[in-house]
PDB file of all heavy atoms in Angstrom:
ATOM      1  N   ARG A  57     -12.664  -5.033   5.946  1.00  0.00           N
ATOM      2  CA  ARG A  57     -13.167  -4.555   4.663  1.00  0.00           C
ATOM      3  C   ARG A  57     -14.685  -4.628   4.810  1.00  0.00           C
ATOM      4  O   ARG A  57     -15.254  -5.706   4.710  1.00  0.00           O
ATOM      5  CB  ARG A  57     -12.668  -5.437   3.528  1.00  0.00           C
ATOM      6  CG  ARG A  57     -11.148  -5.487   3.398  1.00  0.00           C
ATOM      7  CD  ARG A  57     -10.724  -5.889   2.023  1.00  0.00           C
ATOM      8  NE  ARG A  57      -9.296  -6.179   1.927  1.00  0.00           N
ATOM      9  CZ  ARG A  57      -8.342  -5.257   1.782  1.00  0.00           C
ATOM     10  NH1 ARG A  57      -8.649  -3.982   1.759  1.00  0.00           N
ATOM     11  NH2 ARG A  57      -7.079  -5.622   1.643  1.00  0.00           N
ATOM     12  N   THR A 111      -1.546   2.313   2.759  1.00  0.00           N
ATOM     13  CA  THR A 111      -1.771   1.067   2.044  1.00  0.00           C
ATOM     14  C   THR A 111      -0.437   0.635   1.445  1.00  0.00           C
ATOM     15  O   THR A 111       0.295   1.477   0.906  1.00  0.00           O
ATOM     16  CB  THR A 111      -2.836   1.159   0.940  1.00  0.00           C
ATOM     17  OG1 THR A 111      -2.653   0.055   0.039  1.00  0.00           O
ATOM     18  CG2 THR A 111      -2.751   2.438   0.136  1.00  0.00           C
ATOM     19  N   ILE A 112      -0.147  -0.657   1.538  1.00  0.00           N
ATOM     20  CA  ILE A 112       1.143  -1.102   0.994  1.00  0.00           C
ATOM     21  C   ILE A 112       1.209  -0.873  -0.510  1.00  0.00           C
ATOM     22  O   ILE A 112       2.279  -0.748  -1.082  1.00  0.00           O
ATOM     23  CB  ILE A 112       1.432  -2.580   1.327  1.00  0.00           C
ATOM     24  CG1 ILE A 112       0.414  -3.510   0.670  1.00  0.00           C
ATOM     25  CG2 ILE A 112       1.529  -2.793   2.825  1.00  0.00           C
ATOM     26  CD1 ILE A 112       0.879  -4.959   0.612  1.00  0.00           C
ATOM     27  N   ASP A 113       0.041  -0.824  -1.172  1.00  0.00           N
ATOM     28  CA  ASP A 113       0.003  -0.717  -2.633  1.00  0.00           C
ATOM     29  C   ASP A 113       0.514   0.630  -3.153  1.00  0.00           C
ATOM     30  O   ASP A 113       0.862   0.758  -4.333  1.00  0.00           O
ATOM     31  CB  ASP A 113      -1.417  -0.939  -3.158  1.00  0.00           C
ATOM     32  CG  ASP A 113      -1.838  -2.387  -3.103  1.00  0.00           C
ATOM     33  OD1 ASP A 113      -1.082  -3.200  -2.539  1.00  0.00           O
ATOM     34  OD2 ASP A 113      -2.923  -2.724  -3.620  1.00  0.00           O
ATOM     35  N   MET A 155       2.692  -8.187  -4.166  1.00  0.00           N
ATOM     36  CA  MET A 155       1.320  -7.645  -4.065  1.00  0.00           C
ATOM     37  C   MET A 155       1.153  -6.399  -4.916  1.00  0.00           C
ATOM     38  O   MET A 155       2.114  -5.873  -5.490  1.00  0.00           O
ATOM     39  CB  MET A 155       0.978  -7.381  -2.615  1.00  0.00           C
ATOM     40  CG  MET A 155       0.529  -8.642  -1.894  1.00  0.00           C
ATOM     41  SD  MET A 155      -0.097  -8.291  -0.270  1.00  0.00           S
ATOM     42  CE  MET A 155      -1.041  -9.799   0.047  1.00  0.00           C
ATOM     43  N   GLY A 156      -0.039  -5.898  -4.947  1.00  0.00           N
ATOM     44  CA  GLY A 156      -0.399  -4.746  -5.778  1.00  0.00           C
ATOM     45  C   GLY A 156      -1.627  -5.169  -6.574  1.00  0.00           C
ATOM     46  O   GLY A 156      -1.519  -5.668  -7.674  1.00  0.00           O
ATOM     47  N   ARG A 157      -2.788  -4.954  -5.923  1.00  0.00           N
ATOM     48  CA  ARG A 157      -4.037  -5.481  -6.473  1.00  0.00           C
ATOM     49  C   ARG A 157      -4.286  -5.060  -7.926  1.00  0.00           C
ATOM     50  O   ARG A 157      -4.499  -5.884  -8.785  1.00  0.00           O
ATOM     51  CB  ARG A 157      -5.201  -4.980  -5.601  1.00  0.00           C
ATOM     52  CG  ARG A 157      -6.468  -5.778  -5.818  1.00  0.00           C
ATOM     53  CD  ARG A 157      -7.663  -5.063  -5.221  1.00  0.00           C
ATOM     54  NE  ARG A 157      -7.351  -4.361  -3.982  1.00  0.00           N
ATOM     55  CZ  ARG A 157      -7.821  -4.692  -2.795  1.00  0.00           C
ATOM     56  NH1 ARG A 157      -8.608  -5.716  -2.661  1.00  0.00           N
ATOM     57  NH2 ARG A 157      -7.523  -3.964  -1.738  1.00  0.00           N
ATOM     58  N   GLU A 208       0.813  -8.694  -8.720  1.00  0.00           N
ATOM     59  CA  GLU A 208      -0.310  -9.651  -8.750  1.00  0.00           C
ATOM     60  C   GLU A 208      -1.394  -9.194  -9.734  1.00  0.00           C
ATOM     61  O   GLU A 208      -2.089 -10.027 -10.319  1.00  0.00           O
ATOM     62  CB  GLU A 208      -0.919  -9.847  -7.350  1.00  0.00           C
ATOM     63  CG  GLU A 208      -1.557  -8.613  -6.761  1.00  0.00           C
ATOM     64  CD  GLU A 208      -2.312  -8.902  -5.459  1.00  0.00           C
ATOM     65  OE1 GLU A 208      -3.004  -9.918  -5.377  1.00  0.00           O
ATOM     66  OE2 GLU A 208      -2.207  -8.091  -4.549  1.00  0.00           O
ATOM     67  N   TYR A 235       1.371 -12.802   1.822  1.00  0.00           N
ATOM     68  CA  TYR A 235       1.034 -11.940   2.958  1.00  0.00           C
ATOM     69  C   TYR A 235       2.213 -11.594   3.863  1.00  0.00           C
ATOM     70  O   TYR A 235       2.046 -10.774   4.774  1.00  0.00           O
ATOM     71  CB  TYR A 235      -0.124 -12.552   3.753  1.00  0.00           C
ATOM     72  CG  TYR A 235      -1.426 -12.382   3.015  1.00  0.00           C
ATOM     73  CD1 TYR A 235      -1.846 -13.329   2.088  1.00  0.00           C
ATOM     74  CD2 TYR A 235      -2.194 -11.235   3.186  1.00  0.00           C
ATOM     75  CE1 TYR A 235      -3.005 -13.142   1.369  1.00  0.00           C
ATOM     76  CE2 TYR A 235      -3.362 -11.049   2.471  1.00  0.00           C
ATOM     77  CZ  TYR A 235      -3.761 -12.000   1.561  1.00  0.00           C
ATOM     78  OH  TYR A 235      -4.908 -11.799   0.844  1.00  0.00           O
ATOM     79  N   ARG A 238       2.602  -7.969   4.158  1.00  0.00           N
ATOM     80  CA  ARG A 238       1.653  -7.107   4.848  1.00  0.00           C
ATOM     81  C   ARG A 238       1.939  -6.983   6.343  1.00  0.00           C
ATOM     82  O   ARG A 238       1.153  -6.362   7.070  1.00  0.00           O
ATOM     83  CB  ARG A 238       0.230  -7.647   4.639  1.00  0.00           C
ATOM     84  CG  ARG A 238      -0.352  -7.315   3.295  1.00  0.00           C
ATOM     85  CD  ARG A 238      -1.438  -6.261   3.401  1.00  0.00           C
ATOM     86  NE  ARG A 238      -2.543  -6.726   4.178  1.00  0.00           N
ATOM     87  CZ  ARG A 238      -3.693  -7.158   3.670  1.00  0.00           C
ATOM     88  NH1 ARG A 238      -3.870  -7.182   2.378  1.00  0.00           N
ATOM     89  NH2 ARG A 238      -4.654  -7.551   4.446  1.00  0.00           N
TER      90      ARG A 238
HETATM   91  O1  LIG B 401      -4.483  -3.369  -0.737  1.00  0.00           O
HETATM   92  C1  LIG B 401      -3.450  -4.062  -0.144  1.00  0.00           C
HETATM   93  C2  LIG B 401      -3.480  -5.511  -0.545  1.00  0.00           C
HETATM   94  O2  LIG B 401      -2.484  -6.175   0.200  1.00  0.00           O
HETATM   95  C3  LIG B 401      -3.284  -5.782  -2.028  1.00  0.00           C
HETATM   96  O3  LIG B 401      -1.949  -5.680  -2.458  1.00  0.00           O
HETATM   97  C4  LIG B 401      -3.881  -7.152  -2.138  1.00  0.00           C
HETATM   98  O4  LIG B 401      -4.336  -7.393  -3.452  1.00  0.00           O
HETATM   99  C5  LIG B 401      -5.021  -7.088  -1.201  1.00  0.00           C
HETATM  100  O5  LIG B 401      -4.696  -6.121  -0.233  1.00  0.00           O
HETATM  101  C6  LIG B 401      -5.346  -8.375  -0.514  1.00  0.00           C
HETATM  102  O6  LIG B 401      -6.567  -8.223   0.118  1.00  0.00           O
HETATM  103  P1  LIG B 401      -7.126  -9.173   1.249  1.00  0.00           P
HETATM  104  O7  LIG B 401      -6.352  -8.885   2.481  1.00  0.00           O
HETATM  105  O8  LIG B 401      -8.550  -8.778   1.374  1.00  0.00           O
HETATM  106  O9  LIG B 401      -6.919 -10.578   0.779  1.00  0.00           O
END
Side-chain angles (χ1 to χ4, degrees):
R57 299 202 191 279
T111 161
I112 64 162
D113 286 7
M155 278 188 161
R157 198 194 324 247
E208 65 172 318
Y235 285 88
R238 282 252 297 258

